[in-house]
Amino acid sequence: MLTFADRLNAQVADSAIGRWFRLEGSGHAREREGSRFMTDVRAGITTWAAMAYIISVNASIVSDSGGTCVCEAANNCVTDAAYLQCIQEVKQDLITSTAAMSALASILMGALANLPVGMAPGMGLNAYFTYSVVGYHGSGFITYREALAAVFLEGWIFFILSLLGLRQWLARIMPQSLVLAVGAGIGLYIAFIGLTSGGLNVIGGDTTNLVGLGGCLESDWLEGLPYFCGSQVLRSPTTWLGIFTGGILTILLMLYRVKGSLLIGIFITSIISWPRNTSVTYFPHNEAGDQLFDFFKQVVTWHPLQHIGNALDYNYGKGKVWYALITFLYVDILDTTGTLYSMVKFAGLRDPVTLDFENSTIAYCVDAFSISMGALAGTSPVTAFIESATGIAEGGKTGITAVVTGLLFFLSVFFAPIFASIPPWATGGALVVVGSLMIRNVRDINWDYVGDAVPAFLTILFIPLSYNIAYGVIVGVFSYVIINGFVWIVSKISNNAIMPPNYDASEPWVVPPGGIVPAWLNVLFRRNTRIIEESPSEYPFQVRQRHSNISVDTTSQENPLTPRKSGFKFTSEK
């Protein structure tokens, strides 16, 4: 018996929407087998539930940069009430911009590229933007406004690279072990942030060992050293609340495959933290707590951007801005590009020979455009999200999945007071869990050959220890080139007589077939060539036929004194 869902799937498939998204039964020449409208809608809701944590987490991380707030006190204004209040307002702005940019990017990715991939400001990229470039409370080498300008220009550079096919090609020629190692290193980096003061506060500072156990009460901090515990570690009630409800509960929900486990863990922890008369409250009875609670009580509101909208400082004459721009470029090439390729591969949409995928140029252009628009909205680079795998696992195969995800993010814009009132210990557990999901890339790294294993290991190690993704990438690439370059030179000099004993176990580095030119340029070139070949001409053309290594020229009878247009046509023997 046909159900309502079956009839609706058939009606949508037979419509213009079905043909645009290439649903099964639409009659499109490249319809996607097994794709259903209702299945994609459910997959889009699942993707949003898995991604929605980014609204609060991204705001929490990027607000650590201080945004447009100016710090003039010592110790990075950690105890400056006026500065902290400004940061709270920046965080509220970032709630709006994160939800809005996630909505825009996801809808564009689904509607134009027809991919079931959700988009949002990326984890890892936001940490690099905040802690490595702008610095905690603006202590980095460029300001927040200058960093946004770097991201804005980076997006347009990416747009050009994507149109020309260079971005896709660069991603395809990277050694696979290094690509996987970058993702794993970012996972450790994110988990470390979730364990420190930006999350659970389990890890704090130590005057001897640099890091140690944290989680002490503010009264037990070392004088002048916030989050450095002199004694009484792991005594903070909020730390244990985050561990059990934001961490362990989330993991148990994931264990039983409960949809939206991350979001459930975050909201349960937050709900417990919202009552004011508890030891774990996020709204203490002081001036800052009163202001937070007043905003929280609005529940549904439109919060316009007050501090971060169009806050760019186009100071491109400053050398460090270009340093940030270049590092954003190659970090994005490795991170964003790698994530998008992983998602389309998981969805079964990647060509196993060329390693490219359908509408790749459009997808990368959407990503690049979203990066620049995100900078105007005051947030870090936008990227494809690994949580899209949850929707793909639910059966999402077309861009309808991403469109539904984007529409739900749009609705989230109006619930800014709720998302702005999520405490850091509620998101810390989610960061650790996401890090654990990203570290699983190490399973596919080639550990059997030292020339592949050591560069990958150094990449994974340096990203969290240097607190900088770019440094980890640099170490990995340079060590790979030096080690494997030496082996290649010695093999050439010795005519392959001197080779590592287990060289056969190495990961082959090849340039994937398919060329560097994107599909749209190939189509345009073939169309122009066909027009030239089929257009009538009053002058004869010389036709050259190629047969193996022999060329045979045939020329029409003509008056040698008659002027002739130059031209030729190559034909190949089948």
Side-chain angles (χ1 to χ4, degrees):
M1 179 182 293
L2 291 178
T3 64
F4 171 77
D6 293 331
R7 289 192 294 271
L8 182 60
N9 286 334
Q11 289 176 357
V12 174
D14 194 34
S15 66
I17 294 176
R19 287 184 288 275
W20 176 265
F21 290 105
R22 302 181 182 181
L23 293 170
E24 183 175 354
S26 64
H28 194 282
R30 295 184 179 180
E31 64 181 30
R32 295 180 181 174
E33 184 179 356
S35 57
R36 301 285 189 276
F37 174 71
M38 290 301 295
T39 302
D40 276 358
V41 169
R42 185 177 69 249
I45 296 173
T46 303
T47 300
W48 175 84
M51 288 178 59
Y53 74 90
I54 191 61
I55 299 175
S56 57
V57 173
N58 185 65
S60 178
I61 290 177
V62 178
S63 63
D64 276 350
S65 68
T68 55
C69 304
V70 179
C71 175
E72 297 177 348
N75 295 328
N76 292 326
C77 297
V78 173
T79 57
D80 188 323
Y83 183 78
L84 294 179
Q85 175 57 32
C86 179
I87 286 183
Q88 187 59 38
E89 294 173 0
V90 167
K91 184 178 179 180
Q92 293 171 2
D93 283 3
L94 285 165
I95 293 288
T96 299
S97 66
T98 301
M101 287 313 307
S102 301
L104 175 65
S106 297
I107 291 173
L108 289 178
M109 181 62 74
L112 300 182
N114 196 22
L115 294 177
V117 178
M119 305 282 289
M123 295 297 298
L125 290 172
N126 54 9
Y128 175 70
F129 176 92
T130 299
Y131 302 110
S132 299
V133 177
V134 183
Y136 181 72
H137 286 188
S139 59
F141 57 87
I142 62 175
T143 67
Y144 172 80
R145 295 176 182 273
E146 291 171 339
L148 290 179
V151 172
F152 178 78
L153 183 57
E154 175 221 357
W156 289 116
I157 293 176
F158 264 172
F159 192 87
I160 296 173
L161 292 178
S162 301
L163 278 179
L164 298 177
L166 291 172
R167 188 178 177 188
Q168 299 89 307
W169 189 75
L170 287 173
R172 290 157 56 204
I173 66 171
M174 278 294 298
Q176 188 66 14
S177 289
L178 282 186
V179 174
L180 295 170
V182 171
I186 292 173
L188 287 180
Y189 188 18
I190 291 173
F192 185 68
I193 293 172
L195 291 172
T196 57
S197 59
L200 298 173
N201 196 24
V202 172
I203 301 297
D206 188 280
T207 55
T208 303
N209 301 318
L210 301 181
V211 294
L213 284 178
C216 58
L217 299 174
E218 187 174 347
S219 58
D220 294 319
W221 289 353
L222 295 179
E223 185 177 356
L225 295 173
Y227 302 107
F228 280 68
C229 296
S231 60
Q232 307 295 322
V233 297
L234 299 180
R235 297 296 181 92
S236 172
T238 57
T239 295
W240 287 106
L241 175 64
I243 289 173
F244 281 104
T245 58
I248 295 176
L249 176 62
T250 299
I251 294 170
L252 291 176
L253 292 173
M254 294 179 66
L255 191 64
Y256 290 96
R257 297 187 178 180
V258 176
K259 306 304 180 185
S261 301
L262 290 172
L263 193 62
I264 293 173
I266 289 173
F267 270 108
I268 289 178
T269 308
S270 301
I271 291 170
I272 296 174
S273 303
W274 286 337
R276 303 198 71 178
N277 297 317
T278 67
S279 59
V280 294
T281 182
Y282 188 55
F283 309 115
H285 289 283
N286 54 35
E287 183 179 355
D290 292 340
Q291 291 176 344
L292 287 173
F293 192 65
D294 288 339
F295 183 65
F296 168 72
K297 288 188 297 184
Q298 299 178 38
V299 182
V300 179
T301 186
W302 162 246
H303 178 78
L305 302 183
Q306 299 174 351
H307 295 274
I308 63 175
N310 195 21
L312 286 70
D313 181 1
Y314 301 98
N315 189 12
Y316 295 130
K318 186 176 181 179
K320 291 183 177 180
V321 172
W322 285 98
Y323 168 77
L325 173 62
I326 293 172
T327 52
F328 274 131
L329 277 171
Y330 64 72
V331 169
D332 254 340
I333 286 176
L334 294 173
D335 186 11
T336 308
T337 308
T339 302
L340 189 53
Y341 264 83
S342 299
M343 291 303 100
V344 296
K345 180 182 179 182
F346 185 53
L349 302 176
R350 192 173 77 162
D351 190 309
V353 177
T354 65
L355 302 183
D356 205 355
F357 58 91
E358 190 176 298
N359 295 330
S360 62
T361 299
I362 297 175
Y364 283 118
C365 287
V366 167
D367 174 55
F369 175 77
S370 301
I371 288 173
S372 294
M373 295 304 101
L376 293 176
T379 190
S380 54
V382 174
T383 179
F385 250 60
I386 59 171
E387 283 75 14
S388 301
T390 60
I392 295 172
E394 280 289 310
K397 293 180 179 296
T398 72
I400 293 175
T401 298
V403 171
V404 172
T405 300
L407 292 175
L408 291 174
F409 270 118
F410 176 73
L411 293 178
S412 303
V413 171
F414 302 99
F415 289 88
I418 299 297
F419 288 104
S421 300
I422 295 177
W425 55 85
T427 58
L431 290 175
V432 175
V433 172
V434 171
S436 71
L437 296 176
M438 297 182 70
I439 194 65
R440 60 186 176 185
N441 285 344
V442 298
R443 296 179 303 181
D444 299 321
I445 293 176
N446 182 26
W447 298 109
D448 297 327
Y449 181 68
V450 175
D452 294 326
V454 171
F457 176 74
L458 290 176
T459 301
I460 296 172
L461 190 65
F462 267 77
I463 288 177
L465 292 185
S466 65
Y467 225 65
N468 192 305
I469 299 171
Y471 293 159
V473 174
I474 291 172
V475 170
V477 171
F478 271 74
S479 59
Y480 183 91
V481 171
I482 292 172
I483 294 172
N484 293 284
F486 178 82
V487 172
W488 182 80
I489 292 173
V490 170
S491 67
K492 292 301 180 182
I493 293 176
S494 64
N495 197 21
N496 294 331
I498 303 176
M499 298 289 290
N502 67 332
Y503 185 74
D504 291 341
S506 64
E507 181 180 84
W509 182 85
V510 296
V511 178
I516 191 173
V517 181
W520 70 272
L521 277 179
N522 284 325
V523 171
L524 183 63
F525 176 76
R526 286 196 298 267
R527 181 178 300 172
N528 290 339
T529 303
R530 185 167 60 251
I531 291 174
I532 292 175
E533 291 175 352
E534 295 176 355
S535 60
S537 175
E538 58 181 312
Y539 304 112
F541 283 82
Q542 178 182 6
V543 180
R544 173 169 295 174
Q545 298 178 339
R546 298 180 65 90
H547 299 275
S548 299
N549 295 326
I550 303 175
S551 297
V552 180
D553 295 346
T554 59
T555 308
S556 306
Q557 295 290 334
E558 62 178 351
N559 186 344
L561 298 179
T562 303
R564 182 181 56 153
K565 290 182 179 179
S566 62
F568 58 88
K569 178 175 70 175
F570 290 97
T571 60
S572 57
E573 181 181 41
K574 295 184 179 180

